[in-house]
Amino acid sequence: MREIVRPVLATLSVACLAIALTALSNNAALAQAKQQMAPAPAQGTPPQGQAAQPPQLKQIALTDKQIDGVLAAQKEMNAITQKLPENAAPDPKVLAQLDGVAKKNGFAGNNEYYNVLDNISLVLGGIDPSSKKYVGPEAVIKAQIAEVQADKKMSAKDKKQALDDLNEALKEPPPPVENKGNIDLVVKNYDKLNALLGADEN
């Protein structure tokens, strides 16, 4: 699965930048675990080197119970996925561990957990961290670009990388939020979600 963009700078408000760039979860280990859970490529899949379409986000109407489940499970899920080596083959033991944590926290399995997490991230990417209001991902990314451009402490190399990443994210915006009730639910839980999911990106 293609990662959208990974912020690399601790000098930015990393949590906001990470979430702003996330249509799908962009933690490398998390993305890898999700890759491992995906079915094998079907025949007719483009050969390596050709661009394949990233998987579409299955948008769902979120519930308070799902938000609570993600908040309860996130640290334990990350503890498992962060141990995964880059490009490792799928490990049934790891997938079973992820499934166990997801089920313990009210999900049918890790596929449902990650889908809920992706739907939360889709909304978080459009919340302005200052006002804590949903303004859309484009507005958040543009604000981050302005913040990076104004940062006098950031090295030229880091600034260029951050701006390149942000401009790339601006070219490939996430899909619009289909379930408008998700916005109110995520905004209501913004502080808890941002503290937990933002901390995971550091």
Side-chain angles (χ1 to χ4, degrees), residues 35-36 38-48 52 90:
Q35 264 184 331
Q36 292 173 350
Q43 290 186 346
T45 299
Q48 261 189 329

Side-chain angles (χ1 to χ4, degrees):
M1 182 199 309
R2 172 179 67 83
E3 289 183 29
I4 302 296
V5 176
R6 177 185 295 164
V8 293
L9 306 169
T11 54
L12 291 175
S13 54
V14 178
C16 299
L17 176 60
I19 292 168
L21 302 178
T22 305
L24 298 173
S25 304
N26 62 357
N27 179 291
L30 187 88
Q32 181 185 0
K34 290 171 79 172
Q35 264 184 331
Q36 292 173 350
M37 293 178 286
Q43 290 186 346
T45 299
Q48 261 189 329
Q50 288 186 4
Q53 289 294 334
Q56 288 288 1
L57 168 64
K58 179 184 171 190
Q59 295 200 40
I60 58 171
L62 296 170
T63 65
D64 282 306
K65 184 179 175 188
Q66 289 171 322
I67 300 277
D68 292 342
V70 166
L71 289 168
Q74 184 68 10
K75 286 185 182 177
E76 197 172 348
M77 294 294 264
N78 279 353
I80 296 167
T81 59
Q82 286 172 354
K83 294 175 185 171
L84 295 174
E86 287 285 329
N87 302 317
D91 182 345
K93 289 180 184 175
V94 172
L95 298 179
Q97 284 181 306
L98 293 170
D99 243 3
V101 174
K103 288 175 180 175
K104 181 172 76 174
N105 289 284
F107 298 99
N110 53 29
N111 285 331
E112 182 189 4
Y113 166 82
Y114 285 123
N115 191 50
V116 169
L117 184 63
D118 289 344
N119 276 268
I120 291 169
S121 297
L122 180 63
V123 177
L124 281 174
I127 296 177
D128 172 44
S130 301
S131 67
K132 298 181 186 175
K133 292 183 179 174
Y134 185 84
V135 295
E138 185 176 337
V140 172
I141 294 169
K142 285 180 177 177
Q144 290 291 337
I145 289 171
E147 186 180 324
V148 170
Q149 288 171 333
D151 193 324
K152 306 262 190 253
K153 296 178 183 174
M154 192 181 295
S155 73
K157 180 183 174 186
D158 287 348
K159 186 176 282 196
K160 180 184 183 316
Q161 180 65 54
L163 290 172
D164 287 349
D165 289 347
L166 288 163
N167 282 309
E168 192 61 36
L170 208 50
K171 289 179 197 169
E172 299 182 35
V177 177
E178 292 172 6
N179 300 288
K180 301 305 179 191
N182 289 359
I183 294 173
D184 293 336
L185 195 57
V186 173
V187 166
K188 179 175 86 171
N189 292 282
Y190 176 78
D191 289 331
K192 289 186 281 189
L193 289 166
N194 187 48
L196 184 66
L197 301 177
D200 295 337
E201 301 300 330
N202 288 328

